[in-house]
Amino acid sequence: MADVEMKPLDDKKEKKEEKTAAEEKKPVPLTPVAEIKGNVAFIERAVSTLEPRFTHRVLRSLAHLRKKLDDKVLRDAVQAIYTTDSPTKQSLLSWLPDAPTEQSMDIDPASTPSKQPQAEPIPEVDIYLRLLIIHYLLASSDTHAKATKLAHETVDKMQALNRRSMDPIAAKVWYAVERAYELGGELADARPLFLAAQRTAALRHDDETEASLINRILRSYLQYSLYDQADKLVSKTSFPAAAGNPQHARYHYYLGRIKAVQLNYTAAHTNLQQAIRRAPPAKTAPGFYQAVHKLSIVVELLMGDIPERSLFRHPVLEKALAGYFEIVKAVRNGSLSQFQNTLSTYAAQFEADKTYTLIVRLRQNVIKTGIRRLSLSYSRISLRDICVKLHLDSEEDAEYIVGKAIRDGVIEGRIVHEKGWMECGGQKSGYGPEVSDVFSRRITYCLELHNQSVKAMRYPLNAHRKELAAAEGAREREKELAKEIQEGGDLDDEGPDLGEGF
Amino acid sequence: MASPQLGQLYKELQQSFLSGNLQQTGVLLARLKIGLTEAGLLVPFGNPNPQDLVVARDILEVGAFWSIRTKDIPSFDRYFSQLLTFYNDYSSVLPPSPREFPLRGLNLVRLLTQNRIADFHTTLESLPLPADSLTANPYIAHPINLEQWLMEGSYSKVWNAREEAPTEEYKFFVDSLMGTIRNEIASCEEAAYDSLPLKDAATLLFFKSTSDLVTFAQQRGWQVDLGAEKIHFAKKSEEKVEIPKERLIAANLQYARELEQIV
């Protein structure tokens, strides 16, 4: 029972701390050094309580902390955290550029207050600081080589230490490694390193790192358009379910990409939907949000659907999707010339987004939509007119194209060759097995969503004991109730007798 | 060169390939492949001498062309996958080969004729060219256009393009491609027409003589009315829509189970 009582108290304390932290932040933003120090405390707590939650919290602040880093801040932080002179401190400091003497003079008084001798901080802290330093080094282009070197050293150190409590930080370090290689323009060279590390991570059940690494590798494959290899990697590995949402979002995005290239649009669409849903809010990660939406719009068009218009009014997406909006309009109108014009206008953008080849595939959809519109508005139309309206090259082509559309079930109709026209049949009724298919797809989706949310719920430790006690009580009450009912039942039984008696 | 003997064979191979002696080329290729394997160049690893690699690549390229000329598609497939190592992984070391894009294009056409559209697109994506300049390369533009026309149904364009092949070897695929599109057109006609005059059907299917058409029609089970000179397509009677009972039951049971978990 002691545990059960301890927990809520702890929680409250945390909340209070959180609140105070938040309050502190609001009036005067914490100095980066103080923030790093606070984070280090959290990491220590995470390791001592075996609760990775704190580490995650620390890592969440990484993005905005990164912008405030400079060598003074980092040096101060290292000085403040490592009070005693130790090899770790020396090695950390050696990565930072030497400070001009006057500056370090300013720092010294600030960092002296913590005088009480401390034990050497845990290795996680060391790695965290290294991560910060790598990010700092990556920020300017002169120090890339240095960053890569440090990243390597850090990775070696992490793997030698092999501590589970380090996993979340390790996953972030891998990200930094990738970044270092990418900025150096040699992403392909990092692949063997990632693959080896991924194997190790899988063997150690290091889910965070494994997830991060799988994404790293996929990204590197896709960067070089090696879809075959990427597909094989996906089929040979299983993405750890315990990985965080951002990793899942990335993974789904990459899957969506691969599937879309392989013409498997339905699967691609499902994956992209997942990616959108799991992605961080649009405002915090606009880049990812836009990238996923771009791909998802194209895939939706390829499936024959038209994306919702409201999507294009989203403040984050509006500008980025301008070209795609034009494409959607062209497909909707079934106008081949408009489509070609848009394609050539925005070619550079689509090429940069790596959606160009996908959009080129839309050509046939444009034609199909055009034919469908014609078949809806005319009951009989000559092939010549089709040819003119859809800007096709020849009547002969029109005949083949219409024939194919009829066979593929795009329209219902016949061609009367002798007269040179197309007769359009009635519309399909809206009922049939397809309806149940759509319905069942929707239900499956809802159930899936429910199951996912159940899985995503977190429970405090040992809380079930309380429930057990409560259940015990409930059982007692039930017994009493049953007794009462029994007694009450006797009364009821007597009821009619009484009635008769009266 | 790794060994003088290989160099000698290589020269012979070039000569016999240029003179168009298919049989001798085949024999030489087999011997060269053994030689390459012994020299560790067939599947190169480590850092071999770039000049040796160029020779190995040349030999494999000749092999790929030779396979097409002898109409041995599986062999082409093997040569091409071996070549991919040279094209992709050693692209920074080796000078680009003038035969690279013809071969890549041929591979694309091969995928098209085998109706492997998904593979076709995957391969297209992994070409080392920016996507909007793909059509500028004649060897790649050809298969891209073919695919587009096939997909939208402009079969006559495909038919007309068979003479515009960028290299001789593309024509080896034309025949099987024509077979593919003929079947495509036939299946479209079945769906789109009630009946067709014989002459028009022949033009639509690109047959030169009526007798070819009649044999083709018999293969597909069409009724040919020679008197009226018409083809009647066996109308598929309105297919009864079967209610997929088992699937529905399975789905419903699944929902019940899930709901039970929720409640």
Side-chain angles (χ1 to χ4, degrees):
Chain A
M1 280 315 271
D3 276 353
V4 182
E5 277 167 11
M6 289 283 282
K7 196 65 203 169
L9 270 179
D10 259 4
D11 271 340
K12 262 179 221 158
K13 227 188 271 169
E14 270 165 43
K15 267 179 209 151
K16 244 184 237 161
E17 271 169 15
E18 261 170 9
K19 259 184 214 155
T20 47
E23 276 161 19
E24 270 172 22
K25 256 178 216 163
K26 263 174 216 157
V28 216
L30 274 173
T31 61
V33 181
E35 212 170 313
I36 296 176
K37 265 164 95 177
N39 284 341
V40 166
F42 272 130
I43 293 175
E44 274 168 354
R45 179 123 63 94
V47 175
S48 60
T49 56
L50 292 177
E51 180 66 84
R53 199 147 40 105
F54 298 119
T55 320
H56 284 299
R57 195 152 102 200
V58 171
L59 293 175
R60 262 203 298 279
S61 70
L62 191 65
H64 81 110
L65 188 60
R66 198 164 62 193
K67 291 182 194 121
K68 292 190 237 161
L69 292 178
D70 59 39
D71 42 297
K72 186 174 173 300
V73 167
L74 282 168
R75 204 170 320 103
D76 286 2
V78 174
Q79 296 280 10
I81 292 157
Y82 290 87
T83 42
T84 50
D85 248 354
S86 69
T88 331
K89 180 180 175 183
Q90 287 308 326
S91 73
L92 279 174
L93 283 178
S94 72
W95 289 103
L96 294 166
D98 289 327
T101 33
E102 9 167 2
Q103 251 192 8
S104 60
M105 291 291 276
D106 293 344
I107 304 156
D108 273 336
S111 59
T112 31
S114 52
K115 265 181 195 149
Q116 71 271 39
Q118 270 180 342
E120 172 87 339
I122 48 176
E124 279 80 0
V125 173
D126 174 26
I127 301 290
Y128 176 65
L129 286 173
R130 275 162 181 270
L131 178 63
L132 289 179
I133 297 175
I134 298 175
H135 273 302
Y136 165 65
L137 290 177
L138 282 175
S140 78
S141 53
D142 311 335
T143 45
H144 280 170
K146 217 170 162 189
T148 318
K149 230 165 111 193
L150 174 61
H152 270 284
E153 204 189 289
T154 313
V155 164
D156 289 343
K157 204 163 179 190
M158 270 169 4
Q159 293 190 325
L161 285 165
N162 188 15
R163 286 166 67 110
R164 286 292 72 79
S165 46
M166 201 186 280
D167 291 348
I169 306 178
K172 287 280 172 188
V173 171
W174 281 113
Y175 169 75
V177 173
E178 183 198 34
R179 194 84 191 117
Y181 271 100
E182 194 182 356
L183 289 174
E186 43 200 12
L187 196 53
D189 301 343
R191 223 176 287 143
L193 181 71
F194 288 150
L195 283 166
Q198 190 263 332
R199 274 199 299 277
T200 322
L203 287 176
R204 288 176 180 169
H205 281 288
D206 180 353
D207 287 345
E208 297 273 349
T209 311
E210 198 193 345
S212 164
L213 280 167
I214 290 181
N215 280 336
R216 299 285 87 76
I217 301 167
L218 278 180
R219 184 179 140 77
S220 126
Y221 279 143
L222 295 189
Q223 191 77 16
Y224 291 89
S225 302
L226 300 169
Y227 289 93
D228 266 345
Q229 280 94 323
D231 185 40
K232 276 181 194 126
L233 177 79
V234 170
S235 62
K236 295 278 185 295
T237 50
S238 56
F239 195 75
N245 259 344
Q247 299 293 357
H248 263 294
R250 268 168 192 282
Y251 184 66
H252 280 297
Y253 171 63
Y254 294 138
L255 276 191
R257 259 216 114 79
I258 299 172
K259 298 268 165 65
V261 167
Q262 294 174 334
L263 304 181
N264 193 350
Y265 302 128
T266 328
H269 189 242
T270 326
N271 279 319
L272 290 172
Q273 286 295 316
Q274 282 283 342
I276 291 175
R277 235 167 262 134
R278 284 179 183 257
K283 288 268 160 47
T284 45
F288 183 76
Y289 198 70
Q290 287 166 358
V292 181
H293 272 287
K294 282 173 188 171
L295 194 58
S296 136
I297 286 169
V298 178
V299 168
E300 230 172 285
L301 285 175
L302 282 168
M303 286 169 64
D305 297 344
I306 301 291
E308 275 177 49
R309 202 187 176 98
S310 60
L311 197 63
F312 298 98
R313 296 211 194 92
H314 193 288
V316 177
L317 299 173
E318 200 174 0
K319 251 195 202 136
L321 293 183
Y324 294 84
F325 184 47
E326 294 298 317
I327 287 283
V328 172
K329 275 203 280 195
V331 175
R332 232 178 80 86
N333 293 334
S335 153
L336 214 51
S337 55
Q338 195 187 341
F339 176 74
Q340 289 296 3
N341 283 341
T342 320
L343 190 60
S344 47
T345 325
Y346 292 95
Q349 194 201 335
F350 296 148
E351 173 60 27
D353 295 342
K354 289 196 156 208
T355 48
Y356 187 86
T357 41
L358 288 176
I359 291 176
V360 171
R361 292 186 204 169
L362 274 172
R363 216 183 113 87
Q364 67 205 59
N365 287 46
V366 177
I367 296 178
K368 274 187 195 163
T369 329
I371 293 184
R372 184 151 49 194
R373 277 162 57 93
L374 288 180
S375 84
L376 288 179
S377 27
Y378 297 88
S379 63
R380 187 181 291 169
I381 178 168
S382 75
L383 292 172
R384 167 103 228 112
D385 287 342
I386 296 181
C387 192
V388 173
K389 282 188 196 299
L390 297 183
H391 308 281
L392 299 174
D393 293 340
S394 69
E395 236 172 285
E396 209 183 356
D397 276 338
E399 185 162 358
Y400 285 122
I401 291 172
V402 172
K404 194 176 153 73
I406 294 175
R407 188 201 53 175
D408 295 347
V410 179
I411 50 171
E412 293 263 304
R414 318 246 107 241
I415 301 174
V416 183
H417 187 82
E418 295 85 345
K419 310 254 168 72
W421 67 46
M422 167 178 95
E423 275 179 355
C424 311
Q427 286 310 297
K428 271 188 196 165
S429 65
Y431 289 92
E434 312 91 66
V435 181
S436 86
D437 274 350
V438 176
F439 190 48
S440 88
R441 217 177 310 143
R442 216 170 269 183
I443 296 179
T444 330
Y445 166 68
C446 289
L447 290 173
E448 178 68 26
L449 183 70
H450 174 263
N451 288 344
Q452 290 286 344
S453 357
V454 170
K455 271 184 205 161
M457 280 207 256
R458 291 159 32 86
Y459 302 97
L461 273 171
N462 294 324
H464 65 281
R465 287 200 204 164
K466 221 181 197 173
E467 263 176 46
L468 275 184
E472 197 84 340
R475 221 170 294 145
E476 291 282 302
R477 269 202 301 285
E478 217 168 280
K479 261 188 210 158
E480 272 170 38
L481 205 69
K483 227 189 228 167
E484 272 172 34
I485 289 171
Q486 238 172 7
E487 284 164 10
D490 290 347
L491 264 175
D492 275 348
D493 280 345
E494 281 162 22
D497 288 346
L498 278 173
E500 262 176 8
F502 275 104
Chain B
M1 198 60 228
S3 75
Q5 201 200 350
L6 263 182
Q8 181 62 33
L9 277 174
Y10 172 54
K11 276 193 195 110
E12 280 178 39
L13 177 78
Q14 276 180 323
Q15 272 170 8
S16 78
F17 179 66
L18 282 178
S19 65
N21 187 341
L22 290 180
Q23 206 178 356
Q24 202 199 342
T25 315
V27 176
L28 284 171
L29 272 172
R31 281 169 62 192
L32 272 169
K33 270 197 283 185
I34 298 172
L36 285 179
T37 320
E38 278 164 355
L41 288 169
L42 194 61
V43 184
F45 58 90
N47 286 317
N49 182 358
Q51 270 169 345
D52 287 355
L53 283 176
V54 170
V55 171
R57 189 179 66 183
D58 266 359
I59 294 172
L60 289 174
E61 281 171 348
V62 169
F65 280 120
W66 170 81
S67 325
I68 290 182
R69 291 193 186 170
T70 54
K71 305 200 172 173
D72 185 354
I73 303 299
S75 155
F76 172 75
D77 203 5
R78 281 195 297 277
Y79 277 113
F80 189 73
S81 357
Q82 279 164 347
L83 275 171
L84 276 182
T85 326
F86 291 92
Y87 291 152
N88 290 340
D89 303 337
Y90 288 91
S91 57
S92 51
V93 192
L94 298 178
S97 154
R99 293 181 187 143
E100 174 173 348
F101 283 101
L103 276 173
R104 283 185 186 271
L106 278 174
N107 183 45
L108 287 173
V109 178
R110 171 185 73 97
L111 291 174
L112 266 189
T113 50
Q114 295 174 340
N115 217 0
R116 286 159 62 182
I117 305 294
D119 287 332
F120 176 86
H121 281 291
T122 320
T123 319
L124 202 60
E125 290 281 340
S126 49
L127 285 180
L129 286 175
D132 50 354
S133 68
L134 279 180
T135 40
N137 188 320
Y139 303 108
I140 306 298
H142 185 64
I144 289 183
N145 286 334
L146 285 184
E147 195 266 350
Q148 212 169 68
W149 293 329
L150 275 179
M151 282 302 124
E152 64 188 39
S154 314
Y155 297 117
S156 62
K157 283 189 189 150
V158 182
W159 182 256
N160 294 332
R162 75 194 188 284
E163 295 304 326
E164 298 162 9
T167 62
E168 256 330 280
E169 278 77 12
Y170 281 71
K171 292 190 180 152
F172 288 94
F173 285 111
V174 162
D175 287 338
S176 58
L177 193 62
M178 288 309 130
T180 319
I181 66 167
R182 207 165 265 159
N183 280 321
E184 281 281 303
I185 298 173
S187 71
C188 292
E189 289 185 350
E190 281 168 14
Y193 301 92
D194 291 323
S195 67
L196 258 184
L198 268 183
K199 227 171 81 214
D200 294 333
T203 23
L204 281 177
L205 287 164
F206 311 114
F207 278 117
K208 292 214 174 66
S209 72
T210 331
S211 58
D212 284 346
L213 174 66
V214 173
T215 30
F216 183 76
Q218 272 160 0
Q219 276 170 10
R220 291 202 70 101
W222 296 340
Q223 292 165 351
V224 185
D225 187 348
L226 283 173
E229 294 214 326
K230 268 195 171 185
I231 296 181
H232 291 283
F233 298 103
K235 266 297 261 178
K236 274 177 253 156
S237 54
E238 284 294 304
E239 283 168 39
K240 267 191 197 158
V241 184
E242 191 86 25
I243 296 178
K245 291 176 220 131
E246 260 180 57
R247 205 165 46 82
L248 283 180
I249 294 172
N252 278 327
L253 285 176
Q254 170 79 10
Y255 302 152
R257 197 161 49 237
E258 296 276 352
L259 278 178
E260 203 157 41
Q261 277 174 12
I262 294 174
V263 176

